[in-house]
Amino acid sequence: MDIINTVVGIPLGYLMWLCYVLIRNYGLAILAFTLLTKVILFPLNIWVQKNSIKMVRIQPELNEIGARFVGDKDKIAEEQLALYKRENYHPLAGMIPMLIQVPIILGLIMVVYNPLQHLLHLDTELINAFVNQAAALLPGVDLGSTAQLKVIELINDPSFVGFFSGLQVPGVDVAGAISQIQGMRLEFLGLNLSLLPDITRLDGYFLIPVLSGVSAFLLCFFQNKENVLQREQGFLGRWGMAVFLTAFSTYFAFIVPVGVGLYWIAGNVFAIFTLYLLNWMYDPKKFIDYDALEESKVHLAESKKIEAQLKPSKEQKAKAKADYARFFEGKKVKQLLIYSEKSGFYKYFENMIDVLLAQSDITIHYLTSDPNDAIFKMDNPRLVPYYVDDNRLIPLFMKIDADVVVMTTPNLQTYHLKRSYVRKDVEYIYIPHDPLSTHMGVPKGAFDYFDTVLCVGPQQMAEIRETEKVYGLPEKKLVPCGYGLLDNLCAAYEAMEKTENPVKKILIAPSWQDGNILDSCIDEMLAALLDKGYDITVRPHPEYVKRFAVKMQQLINRYEDRFGEDFRIETDFSSNVTIFTADLVITDWSGIAHEFSYATKRPSLFVNTPMKVLNPEHDKIKIVPLELALRTELGTTIDPDKMDGVAAVVAELLDKREDYAQHIAEVLDQNVFNLGHSGEATAHYVMDAVAAKADSSYRKMMEMQ
């Protein structure tokens, strides 16, 4: 308490002393002190008001981030931090006035308990002499923090003042000090502001805690109604806090002197006036699009419903617990571990697994974060599946004891998935889940902690080597493998019976990133293409349908009267027939265009919506990303604000379809390794890696245990 009295009490004591000297009334001085602190802190309140308005103004974007990346906490946090930085928003700013209030309260308590020091500025030795004398007059009474108040009470009692007037303190006018103390009145409105209220007595003192609680409730009521940030909180958040602060304020006023309670009441009343003054100076309605805010809340609510549906059930949690224990059973080292984020990712491993099962005796341990992964329906004794939930995924990765780990998840060691702490010689292999760039469409350092990258084509190898050179990274093993999913798409397309479409079919297949076709120019595009003799299918990205159900329904509602034989919106993604039978694909940044053009040798039209850039430093790598380079190799581009000319561009691409076929075949050959045989190339490398580990001394030691 001495430290608080020195650091906080003394500065605030001078402020209180100034108020007391000017007014000469203790209660009014406390009210003036309260008002003065509010005036001093008003510039800070202005900053908080602006920051709060900024928060609500960007809330639609925050809600869209939450909706877009629902379930991905790391990505949501990353995107939110980027938005805060862009908008210069400070998330903790709203807490600053409350944090400042704490030392003010503590300081005021010190001032109230130590008026001889802070209000009368008496000599320290004299104060100590007075306190010692009071202790001698009241044997057995622990004066504690109320010592100076007790001195004032005794000196103002004619029965005791004589015991103090005889004290001798060198260089100090004791009589003058006693006169000052006798002239000091701690009463206000009939209440001694130095006393504590008594919960057992219903008197004027009892009224102070009651008014403290009432004023706190009124402040919360008006904040819930008028504060730009508070009124956006949920019902429980707003009124739960109101109940808590009301109860706390009432309790607090019972355990501190009445003068502090008076400050608390006045502070709450002044805060209400400050709230309205700030709203008058900076009206939130002038800065915030409340219609957009409400729409974003609907999107977020829909996504939260999806997230709730995706949470593991009780049975799934039990399965995760059992599989986690089974994963670590026995001491035998696992030769090969594959990690898959969800069921749909099996397609990236499928060709490799087929070859491994057919041409080796390796047992494949398949770890998935999807409790409904199709892997659990496969019946092969050498393909051993495990389900692990989010709570167990991180510790499992830390304890991996396997020779080789294969995964499509980038950012190893950078985010939540770490390299094994148990074994330092595990070979981590990254297998791409798209044939595009390794330096723009993924975060910086996405592959830095992998030992090996299985590359789709020569450009990926060149990009990774250049990245290693630019950042001074050790060289990884780069293996020319190809892209199994593309092999399968090409094979499926070749096996199809092909017929010429009497009416040219156009597939509009946007991505789901910010500013995609559906959110930027779909209406203008359809206005230009409908009734032009085309069969048009709009096929949104599955993630867009899942995360933005409201937007999706609004789109369907706008066009449901137009649906017919030549136009439809397709939300069933179970078949590739729509893709394979299209004459032209229109997209923005979706990888579907590369799969379509490579498999069918037909052109794509790319709309230049905002790029998906996950690495802001990608331009340090002086290689044009394939996402950009291939847009004019596989077709052509158009800006979203040029949709009045899209029909002419579409007609030209369809007319030149045969010219594109030969060129696309050449582009495919130049950019993809081992076309049609990527499974063999990938599996053979994995087999060699497993065999090399089997010869290592560590492996032999573990097998002997």
Side-chain angles (χ1 to χ4, degrees):
M1 296 297 286
D2 289 338
I3 295 177
I4 296 175
N5 186 38
T6 302
V7 176
V8 182
I10 290 177
L12 292 178
Y14 277 100
L15 192 61
M16 184 68 179
W17 170 79
L18 176 63
C19 296
Y20 181 74
V21 167
L22 294 175
I23 300 174
R24 288 296 174 184
N25 181 289
Y26 191 44
L28 292 178
I30 289 177
L31 296 179
F33 171 85
T34 308
L35 179 60
L36 192 55
T37 56
K38 293 295 182 184
V39 171
I40 293 173
L41 294 176
F42 190 69
L44 177 61
N45 286 318
I46 291 177
W47 180 69
V48 171
Q49 173 81 351
K50 292 180 178 179
N51 197 66
S52 299
I53 290 174
K54 190 179 297 182
M55 172 62 189
V56 180
R57 182 171 58 80
I58 66 175
Q59 191 62 50
E61 288 187 74
L62 289 171
N63 289 343
E64 294 296 348
I65 288 171
R68 184 173 295 275
F69 301 106
V70 63
D72 189 345
K73 295 180 181 178
D74 288 336
K75 188 61 179 177
I76 289 175
E78 178 186 340
E79 293 291 324
Q80 286 179 341
L81 287 175
L83 178 58
Y84 292 158
K85 184 176 181 181
R86 188 193 81 195
E87 296 294 332
N88 194 29
Y89 170 72
H90 305 276
L92 300 179
M95 297 180 63
I96 293 177
M98 184 180 297
L99 294 175
I100 291 179
Q101 186 83 310
V102 172
I104 290 178
I105 286 291
L106 293 176
L108 182 61
I109 291 174
M110 291 297 101
V111 171
V112 171
Y113 276 130
N114 300 283
L116 302 183
Q117 175 188 1
H118 296 299
L119 297 184
L120 300 184
H121 290 181
L122 298 184
D123 182 84
T124 302
E125 290 188 15
L126 177 60
I127 293 174
N128 292 335
F130 282 162
V131 169
N132 291 334
Q133 185 64 27
L137 292 172
L138 302 170
V141 177
D142 182 12
L143 299 181
S145 58
T146 64
Q148 293 189 28
L149 296 174
K150 187 58 67 174
V151 168
I152 295 175
E153 180 183 340
L154 292 174
I155 289 178
N156 279 283
D157 187 335
S159 303
F160 291 98
V161 66
F163 293 99
F164 292 91
S165 59
L167 293 174
Q168 297 293 322
V169 179
V172 175
D173 181 5
V174 176
I178 290 175
S179 177
Q180 282 184 273
I181 293 172
Q182 288 176 329
M184 187 177 187
R185 293 290 178 266
L186 301 181
E187 290 77 19
F188 182 67
L189 300 178
L191 302 177
N192 187 333
L193 300 184
S194 68
L195 300 181
L196 270 68
D198 188 344
I199 196 171
T200 64
R201 294 175 58 186
L202 296 178
D203 52 14
Y205 293 95
F206 187 89
L207 189 61
I208 294 298
V210 173
L211 291 177
S212 180
V214 170
S215 65
F217 177 81
L218 289 175
L219 175 59
C220 290
F221 174 82
F222 287 111
Q223 283 180 329
N224 290 342
K225 182 181 178 182
E226 302 294 342
N227 182 271
V228 60
L229 202 55
Q230 190 70 14
R231 64 188 181 190
E232 295 303 322
Q233 302 295 318
F235 178 86
L236 185 60
R238 287 182 288 123
W239 293 108
M241 181 60 68
V243 171
F244 169 77
L245 287 179
T246 300
F248 172 79
S249 299
T250 304
Y251 167 77
F252 178 73
F254 269 116
I255 63 174
V256 294
V258 171
V260 178
L262 179 64
Y263 165 82
W264 194 259
I265 296 167
N268 288 334
V269 173
F270 290 148
I272 294 172
F273 286 106
T274 301
L275 171 64
Y276 280 91
L277 178 59
L278 289 170
N279 277 355
W280 175 75
M281 294 175 62
Y282 300 96
D283 186 355
K285 295 178 182 178
K286 295 181 180 179
F287 303 94
I288 298 170
D289 185 346
Y290 281 99
D291 290 336
L293 177 60
E294 291 305 312
E295 184 178 353
S296 72
K297 288 179 181 179
V298 174
H299 296 162
L300 182 60
E302 291 291 335
S303 296
K304 290 294 184 182
K305 289 181 182 178
I306 295 171
E307 183 179 25
Q309 295 170 1
L310 295 177
K311 287 184 176 179
S313 64
K314 184 177 180 180
E315 292 76 15
Q316 290 169 347
K317 290 179 180 179
K319 176 176 174 54
K321 181 179 180 181
D323 280 8
Y324 182 85
R326 181 166 58 88
F327 185 84
F328 291 106
E329 283 178 353
K331 293 184 178 180
K332 189 173 181 179
V333 177
K334 294 175 174 62
Q335 293 177 300
L336 174 62
L337 172 65
I338 294 175
Y339 170 63
S340 173
E341 295 177 56
K342 51 188 175 182
S343 182
F345 279 42
Y346 182 80
K347 61 189 176 185
Y348 301 118
F349 307 107
E350 181 179 7
N351 295 21
M352 175 189 73
I353 289 174
D354 288 345
V355 176
L356 288 172
L357 292 175
Q359 300 183 18
S360 79
D361 61 355
I362 297 173
T363 297
I364 303 170
H365 297 268
Y366 194 98
L367 184 68
T368 176
S369 292
D370 187 345
N372 301 311
D373 200 308
I375 193 72
F376 294 108
K377 297 179 181 179
M378 299 181 185
D379 185 17
N380 190 306
R382 287 178 38 230
L383 185 58
V384 184
Y386 309 85
Y387 163 58
V388 59
D389 56 10
D390 291 342
N391 292 333
R392 294 175 176 85
L393 182 61
I394 294 175
L396 186 146
F397 256 75
M398 290 180 175
K399 297 188 290 184
I400 282 176
D401 184 6
D403 292 332
V404 174
V405 175
V406 179
M407 53 198 287
T408 64
T409 308
N411 307 307
L412 178 66
Q413 196 71 18
T414 307
Y415 294 121
H416 60 295
L417 297 183
K418 308 296 183 183
R419 290 180 65 103
S420 175
Y421 290 175
V422 174
R423 280 187 64 177
K424 302 302 181 184
D425 69 332
V426 177
E427 180 173 354
Y428 287 86
I429 300 175
Y430 178 78
I431 185 168
H433 58 263
D434 65 53
L436 303 176
S437 76
T438 62
H439 64 293
M440 185 177 80
V442 293
K444 176 187 173 184
F447 312 114
D448 288 358
Y449 290 91
F450 284 94
D451 303 290
T452 305
V453 177
L454 308 182
C455 298
V456 171
Q459 177 147 332
Q460 286 190 348
M461 299 184 79
E463 290 171 351
I464 293 174
R465 286 288 181 249
E466 182 65 15
T467 300
E468 292 169 344
K469 180 180 177 182
V470 168
Y471 291 102
L473 302 171
E475 287 194 355
K476 289 172 282 294
K477 295 178 187 176
L478 302 182
V479 184
C481 285
Y483 191 43
L485 178 59
L486 181 59
D487 290 352
N488 297 340
L489 289 173
C490 290
Y493 179 73
E494 290 301 321
M496 285 179 56
E497 181 181 351
K498 300 172 184 64
T499 58
E500 186 71 21
N501 295 321
V503 176
K504 298 302 181 185
K505 293 186 176 182
I506 298 174
L507 174 63
I508 302 173
S511 66
W512 65 283
Q513 68 194 62
D514 291 339
N516 65 76
I517 290 173
L518 296 186
D519 291 341
S520 61
C521 59
I522 186 63
D523 292 327
E524 294 81 0
M525 180 183 293
L526 291 175
L529 293 177
L530 288 174
D531 301 320
K532 294 295 192 297
Y534 298 123
D535 183 331
I536 298 175
T537 299
V538 176
R539 183 181 170 115
H541 195 285
E543 288 294 324
Y544 190 94
V545 174
K546 183 175 75 173
R547 297 171 187 269
F548 304 108
V550 175
K551 284 186 179 181
M552 197 63 242
Q553 190 58 50
Q554 289 173 343
L555 177 65
I556 292 173
N557 291 344
R558 286 204 304 274
Y559 289 98
E560 60 182 349
D561 293 339
R562 183 62 182 78
F563 293 162
E565 292 184 359
D566 63 344
F567 176 55
R568 67 204 60 80
I569 295 178
E570 184 178 274
T571 56
D572 181 0
F573 309 104
S574 59
S575 172
N576 286 322
V577 172
T578 306
I579 301 174
F580 288 154
T581 58
D583 293 286
L584 176 72
V585 161
I586 301 177
T587 188
D588 34 44
W589 297 94
S590 173
I592 195 174
H594 303 87
E595 296 169 2
F596 163 78
S597 291
Y598 279 157
T600 67
K601 311 302 183 292
R602 294 172 179 173
S604 295
L605 174 58
F606 298 90
V607 180
N608 295 324
T609 58
M611 285 194 303
K612 181 181 180 181
V613 178
L614 296 183
N615 178 11
E617 297 184 12
H618 72 91
D619 54 355
K620 289 186 177 181
I621 312 304
K622 304 303 180 183
I623 299 176
V624 179
L626 281 171
E627 294 94 313
L628 297 176
L630 292 180
R631 288 168 85 82
T632 53
E633 296 291 330
L634 303 181
T636 190
T637 66
I638 186 171
D639 292 334
D641 59 351
K642 300 292 179 60
M643 287 299 113
D644 54 344
V646 70
V649 177
V650 166
E652 182 179 2
L653 286 172
L654 291 172
D655 288 343
K656 294 181 178 180
R657 191 176 64 176
E658 296 303 322
D659 297 335
Y660 273 103
Q662 180 60 36
H663 182 67
I664 291 172
E666 294 172 358
V667 172
L668 175 59
D669 186 61
Q670 293 168 3
N671 286 282
V672 180
F673 292 127
N674 300 307
L675 189 61
H677 305 284
S678 65
E680 290 90 335
T682 303
H684 289 162
Y685 176 79
V686 171
M687 284 188 277
D688 290 342
V690 169
K693 291 293 181 182
D695 293 334
S696 71
S697 58
Y698 176 88
R699 175 63 183 273
K700 291 178 180 178
M701 179 185 69
M702 292 300 295
E703 294 289 359
M704 290 173 63
Q705 290 183 355

